[in-house]
Amino acid sequence: MAVPLAFFALFFAYPVVAIVGRGLKSGGQWQLGRFGDVVTDPDVAHVLWFTVWQAAASTGLTLLIALPGAYVFARFDFPGKQLLRAVVAVPFVLPTVVVGSAFLALLGRGGLLDDLWGVRLDTSVWAILLAHVFFNYAVVVRTVGGLWGQLDPRQEEAARVLGAGRFAAWRRVTLPALAPAVAAAALMVFLFTFTSFGVVQILGGPTFSTLEVEIYRQTADFLDLPTAAVLTLIQFAAVLGVLALHAWTVRRRESALRLVDASRTARRPHGRGQWALLWGTLLVITVLLLVPLAVLVERSFAGPDGYGTVFYASLRSAATADSTFAVAPLEALWNSLAYGAAATAIALVVGGLAAAALTLPRLRRGRSGRMPLVSRLVRGFDALLMLPLGVSAVTVGFGFLITLDRPPLDLRASWWLVPLAQALVGVPFVVRTMLPVLRAVDGRLREAAAVLGASPWRVWQEVDLPLVRRALLIAAGFAFAVSLGEFGATVFIARPDQPTLPVAVARLLGRAGELNYGQAMALSTILMVVCAGALLLLERARTDHSGEF
Amino acid sequence: MSTTSRIAASAVAAAVGMTALAGCGGSGGGSADAKTVTLVSHDSFNASKSVLAAFEKESGYKVKVLRGGDAGKAVNQAILSKGNPQGDVFFGIDNTLLSRGLDEDLFTPYKAKGLENVPAGLQLDKGRHRVTPLDYGDICVNYDRGYFARHKIAPPKTFDDLVKPRYKGLLVTENSATSSPGLAFQLATIAAYGNDGWQGYWKKLKANGIEVVDGWEQAYNDRFSGSAAGKKKGDKPLVVSYASSPPAEVLGKKPAPAEAPTGVATGTCFRQIEFGGLLKGAKNEKGGKALLDFLLSRTFQEDEPLQMFVNPAREDAKVPELFTKYGAKIDKPATLAPGTITKNREQWIKQWSSLVLK
């Protein structure tokens, strides 16, 4: 409990409070008058409304499209499942710059849809929603599917035997067990889309703006800290409201479940309905996820004189080029992986400890049904851990700049700044994927093992680990993926010259000329392959020690 | 042993391995020693490795480069960390941001060697030398030569041309609020039509079907019909971009064409001058001065064009053939006094947004 608290206090609360405080205080006076000005501004109300609206719509749409996918991945066995599971997670890690250009290629002028049916969706709300589904599909499939695969199907079968109809059995047995995971996934998607930045900027055109975009502009472009501070507080309030709502819906729902090994619950689909569901899901994945990815790959090979590896070759020559602009792909890749490994490590330690602290037995309700104060505090802590997802990256980044700037903690030029910032975003994922599973572990199993004479270590090894390992791997995968694709918090903190893949891509996209564009697409393709590879490795991790990733 | 500590133990075990791996990747520490000089800049800063190495060899200092965001963000970060700067020298504060930096008192005056070779028109802080002009470039409307040849229309040359019916619906620009070329184009129109006339001019532009997108990448790569990156699929033959974009279009083309596929409307340009300065509170002031001298030396100045697609500030620096052959010569670019820009910037952007985007 102490470690995550200290981490959050130092790397999140302190910087954010400092930058907001600087905005609200000038000349030693609290400038609370700014509140009135900003809050009553009709533009701000409009932006807030659009932010909430598009986040809710994106979340609903993502759940609608992704939940059948979660079921398919949890319950069916089909060839290529592991590979596909890794591939659907790739969009999640792509930097928005890249996704934006892929979507423009599909939905924009002269795009695929334009060629086929004359449909142009760019600068429309649909483009934003579709891109959000594209990004967050994996979040739902992984958080919900991860648990779904471990639910014992025999419980539902038992209900059927006792006379419940198929739907009733699902509604009474499976749905309640899944609810926390669905709620967690919905929460994460909502927070992600609520603070969506790149997608809204690139695909929405200048007419759509979210709070995140406004905060970014006020902070980074105008250095209007007072306005930014008020907007940050509004965003904070909104996020806290969402978190409270979430806590209220999942409370009393998390119960001990019988979890079994996921590999035992999946089987080949049988019957027409199941096959239809499988093929339907595959079709959705193809259209929504694979086509945009394929566009990037296609563009990376479409050289000036027909298809070829011309851009890849020029990337290779960049390795020996005499310029600091050219980044050798291997070097950028290595930077990305190193940052990713460090960020994942930090996120796992902090998030793992936090999740463990949140499932301590003494937090179970007493007989009177009232919660002791300490557990209320812990619940608050749970919400606190989610806050980084709901706070603008620029707020955190600029907060770092003015707080972590004195020895002993002058991290401004330190290599660790980047992984620390990325871990902030990774921790909520770790917590959210670990919690449902940890809470579902039946305490009596542990007690039984202890009674039978197992040492605490052995109890953990035999009871918790097998059940938690999967969640831990999924969490690690998320944290790693977040770090690989992360482009927000780190890109505008002045940092030593060690560009990651997303940064290198953005750099190339920012220059005119076919060569630069093609190289950007080639680097994006490399990034995709690496992500898919990393996720695939995690998928296959079937070791007996969680220490080996 | 509680569950917490057990899970902690395993998490730590997992982490140790990864951190060990990560540790090889980075050399951390922002410790300022007397042998290192740190340059703070924006993402577009580039130099040849050999040129930087030459400075290191000659001066005995090691150069460390920190970059953060675009020009505006880099300047704002310098302002935020005033008095305790992230480095010794700042590169890349341009004339649209200059007076904000000077008002905030970011720089220690220093007259760099070789300043006499810089034209007076670029020296905007002439009397006090708080900043040193290091390069300049122009933001202008670019046109797709092929389109205008096919349609047998002469490409536009001036602002007045852009509102003529024959160019209706052909121009795409960037959002002033989010994009620096977009803002530069707006400033150019303010310089041309004055504080009273520019809004009237933009009403005409709007009536003539100007399209606004958020950033330069989208305007240029996606909408502009003359960019090879967009596979010529864009449908706007006019775009607000840089005077150095045509040479960039030629880069990597074999065989080299006789002229660039795109041209520049020379009467629509706004000049951006980039400056460098010694940051106040620099830990290595002596090294910083040496680095500023070097940034204005011919070695660095002649390296700039192909690295950053800008023109050197020094008159006696040689410009590569790519620029002389394919670039445009801008004789009378629009400019505004830095103080005027800083004073009105936010108000102008707000006026522009409500006029053009609503």
Side-chain angles (χ1 to χ4, degrees):
Chain A
M1 188 80 179
V3 173
L5 265 181
F7 175 82
F8 267 82
L10 186 59
F11 296 116
F12 179 68
Y14 173 45
V16 171
V17 167
I19 192 103
V20 170
R22 187 179 281 207
L24 293 179
K25 233 168 143 166
S26 80
Q29 291 287 314
W30 288 99
Q31 302 288 326
L32 297 179
R34 289 308 296 257
F35 254 102
D37 303 346
V38 178
V39 175
T40 52
D41 186 344
D43 283 353
V44 172
H46 179 77
V47 167
L48 180 62
W49 162 243
F50 177 72
T51 308
V52 174
W53 180 90
Q54 61 84 23
S58 302
T59 308
L61 199 62
T62 308
L63 285 176
L64 193 73
I65 293 177
L67 278 176
Y71 178 78
V72 165
F73 276 109
R75 285 284 190 246
F76 294 159
D77 239 341
F78 49 91
K81 178 172 154 179
Q82 276 193 340
L83 179 68
L84 195 65
R85 204 205 303 254
V87 169
V88 298
V90 168
F92 182 74
V93 302
L94 287 180
T96 40
V97 246
V98 178
V99 175
S101 61
F103 266 75
L104 284 174
L106 276 173
L107 309 172
R109 274 148 193 67
L112 203 62
L113 287 182
D114 199 5
D115 287 350
L116 292 175
W117 302 294
V119 179
R120 288 179 183 176
L121 288 175
D122 62 328
T123 63
S124 80
V125 123
W126 282 105
I128 296 176
L129 296 185
L130 282 176
H132 281 162
V133 175
F134 171 85
F135 268 117
N136 294 305
Y137 187 91
V139 176
V140 177
V141 166
R142 290 188 154 243
T143 36
V144 178
L147 184 69
W148 211 331
Q150 287 179 282
L151 289 181
D152 196 337
R154 283 172 306 189
Q155 291 181 312
E156 205 175 300
E157 284 155 21
R160 298 282 309 280
V161 169
L162 293 171
R166 178 180 293 208
F167 180 70
W170 183 81
R171 199 172 61 88
R172 300 236 168 142
V173 177
T174 309
L175 188 63
L178 278 183
V182 175
L187 174 73
M188 278 201 283
V189 176
F190 187 88
L191 286 179
F192 257 114
T193 51
F194 186 81
T195 55
S196 177
F197 175 69
V199 169
V200 177
Q201 260 207 325
I202 297 169
L203 295 174
T207 42
F208 295 111
S209 183
T210 56
L211 266 180
E212 181 90 2
V213 175
E214 279 303 310
I215 291 171
Y216 178 80
R217 278 181 41 198
Q218 297 296 347
T219 307
D221 294 333
F222 297 138
L223 207 60
D224 181 350
L225 295 181
T227 304
V230 175
L231 291 174
T232 302
L233 290 174
I234 293 176
Q235 198 180 32
F236 237 78
V239 170
L240 282 175
V242 173
L243 290 173
L245 189 70
H246 171 258
W248 180 73
T249 51
V250 299
R251 193 161 301 173
R252 298 165 189 269
R253 286 235 185 118
E254 277 170 349
S255 50
L257 306 169
R258 289 194 46 186
L259 295 183
V260 293
D261 186 4
S263 57
R264 292 206 341 238
T265 63
R267 48 193 66 165
R268 288 191 73 79
H270 55 88
R272 197 175 296 176
Q274 295 199 341
W275 278 107
L277 182 63
L278 175 63
W279 282 111
T281 301
L282 292 179
L283 183 73
V284 166
I285 289 177
T286 305
V287 170
L288 202 72
L289 275 66
L290 299 185
V291 170
L293 297 179
V295 166
L296 291 179
V297 177
E298 185 267 332
R299 290 197 166 198
S300 76
F301 287 106
D305 338 311
Y307 287 100
T309 55
V310 101
F311 296 133
Y312 292 88
S314 63
L315 274 179
R316 209 176 41 235
S317 62
T320 51
D322 181 29
S323 164
T324 52
F325 175 75
V327 184
L330 272 178
E331 190 193 327
L333 182 63
W334 176 245
N335 288 335
S336 277
L337 290 176
Y339 280 141
T344 307
I346 299 167
L348 278 183
V349 172
V350 175
L353 288 175
L358 289 170
T359 47
L360 287 181
R362 67 160 183 275
L363 300 179
R364 302 279 149 82
R365 278 158 199 282
R367 285 210 180 154
S368 58
R370 298 217 354 235
M371 293 177 66
L373 176 68
V374 83
S375 1
R376 276 164 201 266
L377 282 179
V378 167
R379 287 225 173 260
F381 178 57
D382 183 11
L384 179 84
L385 288 173
M386 299 301 290
L387 276 180
L389 287 183
V391 174
S392 160
V394 75
T395 309
V396 177
F398 276 37
F400 273 10
L401 198 68
I402 62 169
T403 51
L404 307 176
D405 64 341
R406 300 259 188 275
L409 254 189
D410 187 355
L411 287 178
R412 289 181 311 176
S414 157
W415 184 87
W416 284 101
L417 194 63
V418 174
L420 280 169
Q422 292 173 344
L424 274 179
V425 183
V427 166
F429 278 93
V430 176
V431 174
R432 287 272 83 85
T433 31
M434 302 273 297
L435 260 191
V437 179
L438 272 176
R439 283 192 176 146
V441 173
D442 196 333
R444 283 170 308 184
L445 283 174
R446 297 190 192 109
E447 285 155 20
V451 167
L452 293 172
S455 65
W457 176 244
R458 183 80 195 277
V459 171
W460 188 80
Q461 225 179 329
E462 300 293 340
V463 178
D464 292 67
L465 183 61
L467 295 169
V468 172
R469 193 179 63 215
R470 210 181 140 68
L472 203 64
L473 285 175
I474 292 173
F478 263 138
F480 195 66
V482 165
S483 162
L484 276 189
E486 199 270 341
F487 180 69
T490 46
V491 78
F492 40 72
I493 306 174
R495 64 220 171 270
D497 206 9
Q498 288 171 312
T500 57
L501 279 174
V503 169
V505 169
R507 246 198 232 181
L508 286 162
L509 280 176
R511 285 198 165 190
E514 189 173 18
L515 195 62
N516 287 324
Y517 186 85
Q519 287 186 342
M521 293 298 131
L523 266 187
S524 304
T525 307
I526 293 173
L527 179 67
M528 284 192 308
V529 171
V530 170
C531 287
L535 292 163
L536 202 60
L537 277 178
L538 281 168
E539 284 288 318
R540 305 197 71 123
R542 289 255 184 271
T543 57
D544 287 337
H545 316 282
S546 65
E548 289 179 20
F549 274 82
Chain B
M1 201 167 162
S2 70
T3 323
T4 321
S5 46
R6 273 180 265 128
I7 292 189
S10 64
V12 170
V16 166
M18 303 190 76
T19 322
L21 167 72
C24 332
S27 47
S31 59
D33 53 62
K35 285 277 123 230
T36 305
V37 60
T38 308
L39 179 75
V40 185
S41 187
H42 48 62
D43 284 336
S44 313
F45 174 84
N46 288 300
S48 294
K49 289 170 191 154
S50 56
V51 165
L52 288 179
F55 167 73
E56 292 183 336
K57 202 167 154 197
E58 185 183 319
S59 67
Y61 293 108
K62 219 179 141 6
V63 182
K64 192 166 151 189
V65 181
L66 297 180
R67 315 177 197 208
D70 63 27
K73 289 168 195 62
V75 170
N76 285 339
Q77 289 183 58
I79 292 172
L80 271 182
S81 52
K82 198 168 75 175
N84 179 18
Q86 295 185 272
D88 307 306
V89 174
F90 188 91
F91 174 98
I93 183 167
D94 68 31
N95 48 326
T96 65
L97 301 157
L98 181 62
S99 91
R100 187 192 292 182
L102 294 181
D103 293 347
E104 291 280 353
D105 199 18
L106 285 183
F107 303 106
T108 305
Y110 174 66
K111 188 169 181 230
K113 283 193 193 107
L115 198 62
E116 62 279 1
N117 295 301
V118 176
L122 298 180
Q123 298 191 36
L124 300 185
D125 196 38
K126 208 172 165 60
R128 303 178 61 182
H129 303 301
R130 288 166 296 181
V131 290
T132 308
L134 294 173
D135 66 71
Y136 70 91
D138 296 287
I139 280 116
C140 324
V141 171
N142 280 210
Y143 59 87
D144 172 5
R145 283 185 205 274
Y147 175 94
F148 289 101
R150 277 196 307 278
H151 290 75
K152 302 206 171 35
I153 315 172
K157 284 199 185 65
T158 61
F159 290 118
D160 285 340
D161 287 348
L162 294 175
V163 293
K164 288 180 178 156
R166 80 177 83 133
Y167 302 116
K168 194 176 173 71
L170 301 188
L171 172 63
V172 59
T173 185
E174 299 88 6
N175 186 350
S176 276
T178 51
S179 151
S180 80
L183 177 65
F185 182 62
Q186 185 197 345
L187 293 175
T189 62
I190 295 172
Y193 295 97
N195 212 353
D196 310 321
W198 70 269
Q199 298 199 44
Y201 175 73
W202 274 91
K203 282 191 186 118
K204 285 189 212 154
L205 272 181
K206 208 177 161 178
N208 211 24
I210 188 172
E211 190 189 4
V212 181
V213 295
D214 242 22
W216 176 88
E217 285 93 345
Q218 194 182 348
Y220 194 87
N221 285 333
D222 193 56
R223 289 283 202 282
F224 181 47
S225 60
S227 69
K231 302 277 177 242
K232 312 269 184 198
K233 277 197 164 177
D235 54 0
K236 301 279 178 189
L238 296 173
V239 65
V240 171
S241 186
Y242 300 86
S244 58
S245 300
E249 281 294 334
V250 178
L251 205 64
K253 277 208 191 315
K254 292 188 186 73
E259 61 173 3
T262 57
V264 170
T266 50
T268 60
C269 296
F270 183 82
R271 175 140 301 174
Q272 269 185 326
I273 308 162
E274 281 200 300
F275 300 87
L278 190 61
L279 286 161
K280 222 172 210 150
K283 292 187 181 73
N284 184 356
E285 203 161 284
K286 199 157 160 275
K289 287 176 179 169
L291 183 59
L292 260 181
D293 289 342
F294 173 74
L295 293 175
L296 198 58
S297 72
R298 275 187 58 179
T299 317
F300 181 82
Q301 291 275 312
E302 288 178 2
D303 186 48
E304 278 179 331
L306 285 179
Q307 292 297 330
M308 293 188 260
F309 281 83
V310 291
N311 303 294
R314 278 180 82 118
E315 282 171 312
D316 58 343
K318 275 203 210 53
V319 179
E321 195 206 26
L322 186 75
F323 278 71
T324 49
K325 188 171 171 190
Y326 300 107
K329 196 152 166 34
I330 317 297
D331 290 328
K332 285 212 235 13
T335 61
L336 286 166
T340 315
I341 298 175
T342 297
K343 205 169 77 215
N344 299 298
R345 179 192 188 97
E346 209 165 333
Q347 182 200 349
W348 280 341
I349 290 176
K350 278 203 173 103
Q351 288 169 331
W352 180 91
S353 298
S354 55
L355 181 78
V356 181
L357 299 181
K358 296 271 177 337

